[in-house]
Amino acid sequence: MAATSENDAPSADDVWEREVVARHRWGRHGGAAKKELTRLRKLRDAAGPFGRSYEKIVEQIVALEICNWNVEESILALCGAIGAREPAELAIGHLASVADERWKKVWAYYLALRNWLPSEGKSGYRALLRTCDPGGAIEGHIRSLLGERDELKKLYVERLCLNLAFWLGGFFPGDSPQREAYQAAAAALETKIRERDPEAKDLGVFDVEGAGGWGPCHHKAFRRYDIIISSVGAGKWRAVMPRRGTDGFERAALLDEYLEPIGRWVDGAGEEAPESNLGGKIHDLLGERDNVKIFLASLLASLLRAQQLFARNLAESRAKEA
C-alpha cells in the first residue's frame, strides 16, 4: 500500500483500496472483497506512474454510488475524465452533486411542511414557498398526504422539518453547534412524541445517518419523504405507501447499461460506433486503451458492481418474502 503524505492525509491509493473493501462496497460480499482488491492492485501496478490528475479522478470515482440521483450522467462524466486524464467538470457524488433545481424541490418540501404547521400571525414561509413551488403542486401534494392537523401530527411534522433543515445546511459536522442544536431539538421532540404515542416504533426513520436519513443526493429521497409524510397523515407507518421491495432490480438493470460497455472496453472487445448507442458513446469517451485508463475504468466499474450486486440480491430476497 502506498505511503501517506507528509501531512498524514491518505494517498489516492489508500483511498481507493479502503473503498473497495468498505462495508458498503465489496466488504459485505465476503471473500469477494479480497479477490477484487487483489485484481485491482495488479491493474494498478501495471499502470505505473500517474499524472497530476490521478488523485482528483480517484476522489471523484470513489464519491459516486449506485444510489446517487445523477448516477447516469456521472458515469458518463467519469468516463470522459478517464479518457482525457483530467477530472470531470461535473460535481460527482453525495451532496456536491445536487443541482439547484433539486435543492429547490427540497426547499419546497420543507417550506410546505412549515407552512402546514399553525402559527400565530402570518409566517414568512409562504412568501418563499411561492418561489420554490410557484404552482403550488408540492404544497397541495403534502397537504393531501397529511390531512387534518392534530397534536401528534404536528410533532411529527416538526421532527421531519428538522431532518430537512439538517440536509439543507449541508450535513453538519459531528462537533458543530448546528449538530448539537439538531440533536437537542430532535431529542426534545421525540420525548413529546412518545408521551402521546408510547408505541412510536418508527422514530428511527428520522435518523439522518440511519435508514431514514436519505439526503437529497439519494435517487429515492422524495419517495422517502412521501412515505414518512403519508405515514404521519395516516397515523400508521406505510399505511398508504407499502414497500415495493423490487426497486433493486430496476437499479441493477440501469447500471448494466453502463457497466457492460465499460467492461467490454476494458477487455478490448472491439470498438462501438459512438453515434449508434450508449455503449459507443462510452467507448468514445474512454478513448484509446492504455494501462492507466484500464485501471481507472476497472475501479469505477468495480465499485458500482459491488453495490449493484447487493441491490439485486436484496430485491431477490424481498421478492421471495412477498
Side-chain angles (χ1 to χ4, degrees):
M1 181 179 289
T4 55
S5 62
E6 292 182 358
N7 62 2
D8 291 330
S11 70
D13 288 327
D14 288 327
V15 168
W16 72 256
E17 289 193 1
R18 291 175 189 174
E19 190 73 11
V20 168
V21 298
R23 174 71 181 168
H24 65 288
R25 301 289 192 177
W26 287 103
R28 56 187 164 196
H29 296 295
K34 185 176 181 180
K35 292 179 182 178
E36 192 63 11
L37 184 58
T38 299
R39 182 182 76 87
L40 289 169
R41 278 176 173 167
K42 289 179 180 178
L43 294 174
R44 169 65 181 92
D45 291 342
F50 286 85
R52 58 184 173 81
S53 297
Y54 174 59
E55 288 191 8
K56 182 61 178 177
I57 295 174
V58 167
E59 179 185 319
Q60 291 181 325
I61 290 172
V62 166
L64 184 61
E65 299 193 45
I66 187 176
C67 57
N68 188 266
W69 75 282
N70 202 26
V71 68
E72 298 149 276
E73 186 177 351
S74 297
I75 293 173
L76 293 177
L78 287 171
C79 287
I82 293 167
R85 295 204 193 189
E86 291 290 341
E89 293 184 4
L90 181 72
I92 305 289
H94 309 303
L95 290 181
S97 72
V98 181
D100 284 354
E101 285 304 309
R102 193 167 178 86
W103 278 122
K104 287 180 181 178
K105 189 172 181 179
V106 181
W107 272 111
Y109 266 71
Y110 175 77
L111 293 166
L113 289 166
R114 282 279 177 222
N115 202 48
W116 180 87
L117 289 166
S119 64
E120 290 188 16
K122 189 176 181 181
S123 78
Y125 295 121
R126 178 172 291 279
L128 187 54
L129 179 58
R130 288 171 179 163
T131 300
C132 301
D133 183 30
I138 291 174
E139 182 178 27
H141 170 66
I142 287 174
R143 285 185 175 276
S144 69
L145 292 179
L146 286 173
E148 295 297 320
R149 294 191 194 100
D150 63 36
E151 293 304 310
L152 185 58
K153 284 184 186 181
K154 288 188 285 188
L155 289 170
Y156 273 117
V157 169
E158 180 67 28
R159 183 65 185 86
L160 180 54
C161 285
L162 283 181
N163 265 45
L164 295 179
F166 183 100
W167 291 111
L168 287 165
F171 196 85
F172 309 137
D175 58 351
S176 65
Q178 299 100 315
R179 174 77 73 141
E180 289 188 15
Y182 165 80
Q183 290 174 334
L189 279 169
E190 291 182 9
T191 296
K192 290 291 185 181
I193 288 170
R194 288 192 175 93
E195 287 175 359
R196 289 172 170 78
D197 183 13
E199 307 251 337
K201 301 175 182 177
D202 300 306
L203 285 174
V205 303
F206 294 102
D207 179 5
V208 294
E209 295 179 276
W214 295 345
C217 55
H218 198 288
H219 73 107
K220 293 200 294 185
F222 295 105
R223 174 172 169 80
R224 187 65 173 183
Y225 302 156
D226 284 351
I227 289 169
I228 295 172
I229 295 166
S230 63
S231 298
V232 170
K236 183 180 179 182
W237 180 243
R238 282 190 177 275
V240 179
M241 299 178 67
R243 189 175 74 180
R244 291 189 298 225
T246 56
D247 290 356
F249 290 128
E250 296 175 11
R251 203 65 176 170
L254 172 67
L255 264 289
D256 273 337
E257 296 177 21
Y258 292 81
L259 299 185
E260 289 181 0
I262 293 174
R264 290 195 295 271
W265 179 89
V266 165
D267 294 337
E271 296 184 2
E272 299 182 46
E275 69 278 2
S276 64
N277 54 35
L278 178 60
K281 183 175 183 179
I282 288 172
H283 281 215
D284 188 51
L285 288 168
L286 290 168
E288 294 294 322
R289 294 169 72 253
D290 62 39
N291 287 342
V292 171
K293 293 181 184 180
I294 287 172
F295 165 69
L296 291 171
S298 298
L299 176 63
L300 170 61
S302 174
L303 293 176
L304 293 174
R305 281 287 188 201
Q307 296 183 316
Q308 180 197 40
L309 177 61
F310 177 76
R312 185 175 281 132
N313 289 344
L314 182 61
E316 288 175 353
S317 66
R318 286 178 171 174
K320 292 175 182 177
E321 294 172 2

